[in-house]
Amino acid sequence: MAKPVDALAAKATVQPKKTRRKWFKNQSQLMWMSLPVLLYVMLFSYYPIWGWTMAFQNYRPAKSFAEQEWVGLKQFKFLFTDDGFLRVLRNTIGMSAINMILGFVTAIIFAILLNEVKNKLFKRSIQTISYLPHFLSWIIVTGIVASSLSVDGGIVNEVLIKLGFINEPILWLSEPKYFWGIVGASHVWKEVGWNAIIYLAAITSIDPSLYEAAEIDGANRYHKMWYITLPGIKSIVIILLIMNLGWILEAGFEVQYLLGNGVVVDWSETIDIFVLKYGLKQGNYSLATAAGIFKTVVSITLIYAANTIAKRFGEERLI
């Protein structure tokens, strides 16, 4: 009686191997196609991680890896006790939060309002005009912002004086209290049209019969936007929010570096500028690497925390 059982066991062992072999054969083209992407990620995303060892060394470029002085967590201790780093951390979180909140709110409102436009030609024209600034570099955008806020013929000061809100031009870029708002407004102007594209795509997936039923029940446009459109794109909003939380320490570099000056330096410096300052200008690569690791760890932690909260409340999640 043992022979049939052994035969069945052997057959059961061989069958999964044949199934796996067949699956690999069927998916071979996709695997070869994905190989360049895999190599790219390994080469440029994972291989450079070995450089994190610099954060635990008193790194000197002239010395080999074996000759480096290991200092443990010295660089991290300096980061969290240095007033300069705590200041740039405050600036980074503050500007990033402003950019994220304004970016979400304006993009969602713009997408919903644009969806209500019935004239297709006008709708497409507005959408095209709105996302064109996305393709401009920050060099050009900051130049436009600086010219618009200039005290010598800047359009913002001219309009405010004509309307009677101010009596004399304001030095917008020399007032620390205005800097975060200027950065946030610049991000909105540049990215609102581009960010709205994904919400417009999500709105098109909503069943039109829901709007028809609501209209029969006497709902007006505002009711349909509030009770149908917004709930219909809620899952997309949550997923994008989770993804953006991972970038909370990515407030930017170009706009702060180009618009910043010595007067507003205490409010314009971000972690990226801090890394540039210590890593390249002062040659303290270990401290710059430690700051980069801190950003990465915080980003990953926030993504997993937001994903866990979304899962607990039964919402869409990223992971």
Side-chain angles (χ1 to χ4, degrees):
M1 295 296 295
K3 290 184 179 179
V5 175
D6 293 340
L8 290 174
K11 186 177 180 181
T13 305
V14 173
Q15 189 65 27
K17 291 183 178 179
K18 289 183 178 180
T19 305
R20 285 195 294 267
R21 194 180 300 114
K22 184 178 179 180
W23 184 86
F24 277 110
K25 185 178 180 180
N26 293 336
Q27 303 295 327
S28 60
Q29 292 182 348
L30 293 176
M31 290 182 178
W32 283 110
M33 290 173 60
S34 61
L35 183 61
V37 178
L38 180 62
L39 292 176
Y40 176 85
V41 172
M42 293 296 295
L43 182 61
F44 293 100
S45 297
Y46 287 96
Y47 176 72
I49 290 180
W50 76 269
W52 280 11
T53 56
M54 287 191 295
F56 307 96
Q57 301 170 341
N58 188 16
Y59 183 77
R60 294 293 179 267
K63 296 181 179 180
S64 65
F65 181 81
E67 296 174 334
Q68 299 297 334
E69 177 188 358
W70 294 85
V71 294
L73 299 176
K74 177 183 176 181
Q75 307 298 343
F76 293 95
K77 291 178 181 178
F78 176 80
L79 280 181
F80 299 125
T81 56
D82 179 53
D83 292 336
F85 180 75
L86 297 178
R87 173 173 49 81
V88 300
L89 180 61
R90 176 206 65 188
N91 296 343
T92 302
I93 294 175
M95 282 185 276
S96 183
I98 290 173
N99 294 341
M100 185 172 66
I101 294 171
L102 288 179
F104 264 90
V105 174
T106 55
I108 292 171
I109 293 175
F110 180 72
I112 293 175
L113 294 179
L114 192 61
N115 182 65
E116 294 297 317
V117 177
K118 302 304 180 184
N119 189 312
K120 291 185 178 181
L121 179 60
F122 181 73
K123 180 179 180 179
R124 290 174 181 174
S125 300
I126 294 298
Q127 186 176 1
T128 302
I129 294 171
S130 67
Y131 68 67
L132 282 178
H134 170 78
F135 300 100
L136 298 177
S137 68
W138 274 113
I139 296 290
I140 298 174
V141 172
T142 52
I144 295 173
V145 172
S147 298
S148 301
L149 299 177
S150 173
V151 296
D152 186 16
I155 187 172
V156 174
N157 280 316
E158 292 290 333
V159 170
L160 292 177
I161 290 175
K162 293 292 184 182
L163 294 176
F165 289 109
I166 59 175
N167 297 321
E168 57 183 15
I170 297 176
L171 298 171
W172 296 100
L173 295 177
S174 298
E175 291 285 347
K177 61 182 179 181
Y178 298 133
F179 191 81
W180 289 7
I182 293 172
V183 171
S186 302
H187 273 275
V188 169
W189 178 79
K190 188 176 186 296
E191 303 293 347
V192 64
W194 184 262
N195 292 337
I197 291 176
I198 191 168
Y199 298 115
L200 287 169
I203 290 172
T204 58
S205 65
I206 299 175
D207 189 355
S209 62
L210 296 175
Y211 293 101
E212 296 172 1
E215 192 170 352
I216 293 173
D217 290 338
N220 56 30
R221 281 191 172 187
Y222 300 104
H223 291 149
K224 288 186 284 187
M225 284 189 289
W226 184 258
Y227 294 106
I228 299 177
T229 306
L230 277 176
I233 63 174
K234 184 178 68 171
S235 60
I236 299 297
V237 173
I238 292 174
I239 290 175
L240 292 177
L241 180 62
I242 293 173
M243 294 175 65
N244 279 273
L245 281 175
W247 297 90
I248 195 67
L249 294 183
E250 295 287 346
F253 170 78
E254 296 95 338
V255 60
Q256 290 86 355
Y257 188 76
L258 296 169
L259 291 179
N261 53 66
V263 181
V264 297
V265 66
D266 288 341
W267 295 87
S268 65
E269 275 195 4
T270 60
I271 293 179
D272 292 329
I273 298 177
F274 179 87
V275 170
L276 173 69
K277 176 181 175 182
Y278 279 91
L280 295 181
K281 292 185 177 180
Q282 299 186 17
N284 194 341
Y285 302 103
S286 298
L287 187 62
T289 304
I293 292 176
F294 171 75
K295 284 179 56 179
T296 303
V297 172
V298 170
S299 298
I300 294 174
T301 303
L302 287 174
I303 287 178
Y304 275 96
N307 192 77
T308 302
I309 294 173
K311 180 180 179 181
R312 184 163 297 178
F313 283 94
E315 302 291 346
E316 294 290 336
R317 51 190 186 274
L318 187 63
I319 304 173

